[in-house]
Amino acid sequence: MDTGIRLALTLSQIGAVMVAVLLTVAALTLLERKVLGWMQDRMGPMEVGPYGILQPVADGLKLFFKEDIIPAGANKFMFSMAPVLSLVPALIGFAVIPFGPDWTVDVGGVNFKPFVITDINIGVLYILAFASIGAYGIILGGWSSNSKYSLLGGLRSAAQLISYELNVGLSLVGVLLLSSSLSLVTITNAQAGGFWNWYFFGGGGFPQAVAFVVFIISAVAETNRTPFDLPEAESELVAGFFTEYSGMRFAFFFLAEYGNMILVSCVATVLFFGGWHPPYPGTLMEYIGLGHLIWLEGIMWFVLKVAFFLFLFFWLRATLPRLRYDQLMRFGWKVLLPIALGNIVLTSIVAYLFPGN
Amino acid sequence: MGTIVFFYFASVIVVTAALVVALRSPVFSALALLVMFFHVAGLFVTLHAEFLAVIQILVYAGAILVLYLFVVMLLNLKGEVRFHHQLTVGLFLGCMVFAEAVLLVIKGEFSLGMNLPDTREQAQLTQGNTESIGELLYSTYLFPFEIASLILLVAMVGAVILTKKGILEAKS
């Protein structure tokens, strides 16, 4: 009985999170074009529905009904596996993201946390591990297409992901040192009570602002977004690793890219900007006498912060030109890596000299 | 239940490990290795070593195997390039290892990994296993840990010298 309730609760929670993520992806595809449009002084999509808001539906329908082409000489098994291998790691990471207060609710004798699917004590490593698995979809997609452009895109992507994965991991070590935990829930709770407690602004003793900059640059590189979109550089490689893909398989790669963007924004929010905690001590809802709605305020702040980082992705895309391949490698290994290592050394010195600050 | 799960993971590990050497296409070999890494991680999870499980995926599946694939795709190996002339050496080593394993099982030192509950409970009761691994590495196993990092440093210096070789010779 207990197992049944737990299973039902967890499954509905997973379903809710997946629906939220996929709806956000749909909204992002439109918002990206709108934001790019505004920044380039044009309107963006305007045709489908009032003000173009039905564009994602039209795009989805188009991709769904498009002919599914497998190129001649392609490895069929790998060709079909690659989009799945790319999408699953992008979605699976949301399992450990706490998006609301750390409450435990008692439902029919089962302890249930409504605002995080599972709080495992190695949450950060879990996300990093599955982010690194996402590379397989891209590499195998590029290899199995039996096309020069795809293969080059896949190879570039492999080199890029290996180089920048390291920086993502190392830039998070400072936060982990200060919070002395790998659980995202514990890390969020350590940042309660105002924005000065967020790790970005110096909560825990040493500001992680530098680490955050390293993290966000490496994260942009990991998600293959401009200015690091060499694996799909359209002026050189047609469309990179997914040149040969069409229809739903192409849509899977697309979903994976946007899912990864949302995941990275969630991680940045949780680790550096206090997660669902508002930037002031206490909560406004309690102040105006709506104590039972605290969770709504928490989720609202979480969504706002994530939305800001998603906007940052569009902003970067509209602002910066693409890097050259050798610049990309040199920047990752000779600039970001030493900065991340230096941050770890400084943070550990501070954490050692002023423990429990 | 635990035994069924163990035998599932163990059998998949054995089969995929055999496939890694038996498959003709190097890319498929690498994929079989990927499946194997995931099942080894699963085995770690059943032993309540979540930290090791995730590190297994992060390091081996996420970094090292991606590098393998990168090299395999870059070299574009043909399926026919195989190493059959090492068959005798392989057979000899395989027999040795198998004999050792049989001996150990007969002597009762390892009874299929089923006699581990005490350490498992210990790790769970005192602290998370991330903390316990960290403490062990920096106290009991400090010396082997440092040796391992020294070996990695030697490998790094070696790699730098190997790649710089042409440049140094051109200068002198």
Side-chain angles (χ1 to χ4, degrees):
Chain A
M1 184 61 195
D2 278 3
T3 324
I5 296 177
R6 179 168 294 278
L7 194 68
L9 283 175
T10 310
L11 281 181
S12 51
Q13 202 178 16
I14 292 172
V17 171
M18 285 301 101
V19 166
V21 169
L22 292 177
L23 282 181
T24 315
V25 169
L28 280 183
T29 56
L30 174 66
L31 276 173
E32 170 154 37
R33 295 172 67 183
K34 279 286 183 194
V35 170
L36 280 182
W38 294 328
M39 286 186 178
Q40 295 160 359
D41 204 13
R42 54 191 176 81
M43 305 287 272
M46 290 295 279
E47 292 297 323
V48 194
Y51 213 65
I53 51 168
L54 292 179
Q55 187 68 40
V57 182
D59 285 343
L61 278 177
K62 181 195 76 176
L63 286 171
F64 195 75
F65 286 114
K66 241 181 165 178
E67 188 190 352
D68 179 35
I69 301 167
I70 295 178
N75 188 318
K76 263 187 197 146
F77 174 69
M78 291 290 188
F79 193 78
S80 342
M81 275 288 286
V84 181
L85 269 177
S86 173
L87 180 60
V88 170
L91 295 180
I92 215 168
F94 288 98
V96 292
I97 300 280
F99 49 89
D102 178 27
W103 290 351
T104 312
V105 185
D106 190 54
V107 185
V110 175
N111 282 331
F112 172 65
K113 290 193 170 187
F115 300 117
V116 55
I117 293 179
T118 174
D119 171 25
I120 53 178
N121 57 6
I122 41 161
V124 177
L125 288 176
Y126 173 88
I127 289 184
L128 288 178
F130 280 101
S132 61
I133 296 300
Y136 284 100
I138 294 175
I139 297 172
L140 291 176
W143 175 77
S144 64
S145 299
N146 191 28
S147 144
K148 288 186 192 66
Y149 297 121
S150 298
L151 183 66
L152 281 172
L155 284 175
R156 279 187 179 187
S157 160
Q160 182 175 332
L161 285 171
I162 291 172
S163 311
Y164 280 81
E165 201 171 81
L166 194 65
N167 298 329
V168 169
L170 287 177
S171 62
L172 300 182
V173 172
V175 171
L176 303 181
L177 275 171
L178 293 175
S179 66
S180 60
S181 170
L182 290 168
S183 154
L184 290 171
V185 172
T186 317
I187 291 174
T188 313
N189 288 342
Q191 303 177 70
F195 69 86
W196 53 89
N197 282 336
W198 296 354
Y199 285 125
F200 179 80
F201 296 110
F206 187 75
Q208 294 297 313
V210 177
F212 171 74
V213 173
V214 174
F215 171 77
I216 207 74
I217 293 175
S218 313
V220 174
E222 278 245 303
T223 46
N224 291 330
R225 296 280 308 179
T226 331
F228 299 102
D229 61 340
L230 291 135
E232 45 192 276
E234 55 277 317
S235 48
E236 308 159 21
L237 296 177
V238 189
F241 59 90
F242 54 56
T243 304
E244 306 292 340
Y245 280 90
S246 66
M248 278 316 278
R249 296 189 213 278
F250 171 79
F252 270 32
F253 276 124
F254 214 70
L255 284 174
E257 181 180 329
Y258 281 82
N260 272 324
M261 271 167 67
I262 302 172
L263 185 63
V264 160
S265 304
C266 287
V267 173
T269 305
V270 168
L271 288 174
F272 294 98
F273 287 87
W276 54 271
H277 288 294
Y280 39 81
T283 53
L284 276 184
M285 287 296 181
E286 209 157 25
Y287 191 68
I288 58 172
L290 292 167
H292 56 286
L293 286 178
I294 294 176
W295 60 275
L296 202 65
E297 194 179 349
I299 292 180
M300 193 199 74
W301 277 109
F302 186 81
V303 169
L304 266 181
K305 291 171 191 174
V306 172
F308 171 75
F309 289 120
L310 290 173
F311 177 73
L312 191 68
F313 274 101
F314 302 155
W315 196 0
L316 286 175
R317 174 168 173 186
T319 313
L320 296 171
R322 183 180 304 126
L323 268 77
R324 218 171 50 220
Y325 187 72
D326 57 321
Q327 290 172 331
L328 175 95
M329 284 297 153
R330 188 176 306 138
F331 186 65
W333 288 102
K334 293 190 176 171
V335 180
L336 288 183
L337 187 65
I339 294 177
L341 286 174
N343 177 65
I344 293 176
V345 172
L346 279 180
T347 311
S348 16
I349 290 172
V350 172
Y352 179 73
L353 291 180
F354 309 101
N357 199 341
Chain B
M1 184 62 192
T3 321
I4 299 172
V5 173
F6 170 79
F7 274 105
Y8 163 71
F9 283 123
S11 54
V12 174
I13 288 170
V14 170
V15 169
T16 46
L19 282 179
V20 172
V21 280
L23 283 172
R24 292 207 160 261
S25 157
V27 173
F28 278 96
S29 287
L31 274 195
L33 201 58
L34 175 67
V35 177
M36 197 202 80
F37 284 147
F38 266 93
H39 283 79
V40 172
L43 212 53
F44 281 136
V45 170
T46 60
L47 292 170
H48 293 275
E50 294 91 359
F51 181 76
L52 275 184
V54 175
I55 289 296
Q56 168 88 18
I57 295 179
L58 185 62
V59 174
Y60 285 95
I64 293 180
L65 198 58
V66 174
L67 212 60
Y68 280 6
L69 266 182
F70 182 75
V71 173
V72 164
M73 279 160 56
L74 207 61
L75 296 181
N76 203 10
L77 286 174
K78 295 281 174 292
E80 290 79 45
V81 185
R82 289 164 72 80
F83 300 95
H84 281 302
H85 54 279
Q86 292 173 348
L87 201 64
T88 43
V89 183
L91 214 61
F92 177 67
L93 284 176
C95 285
M96 292 273 280
V97 172
F98 184 70
E100 269 177 33
V102 168
L103 256 176
L104 282 173
V105 171
I106 289 172
K107 278 182 73 183
E109 300 281 324
F110 297 103
S111 55
L112 290 177
M114 288 301 156
N115 54 353
L116 292 165
D118 45 337
T119 52
R120 207 189 295 177
E121 275 163 25
Q122 234 178 358
Q124 262 188 316
L125 282 179
T126 47
Q127 55 208 143
N129 59 58
T130 314
E131 287 92 332
S132 25
I133 287 176
E135 274 193 26
L136 277 179
L137 273 187
Y138 282 98
S139 55
T140 318
Y141 300 109
L142 182 62
F143 190 63
F145 183 66
E146 290 298 328
I147 293 283
S149 48
L150 199 68
I151 292 172
L152 285 177
L153 183 68
V154 170
M156 255 169 75
V157 173
V160 170
I161 287 177
L162 279 178
T163 46
K164 285 265 178 190
K165 210 174 175 182
I167 302 169
L168 292 177
E169 276 165 6
K171 268 184 187 169
S172 57

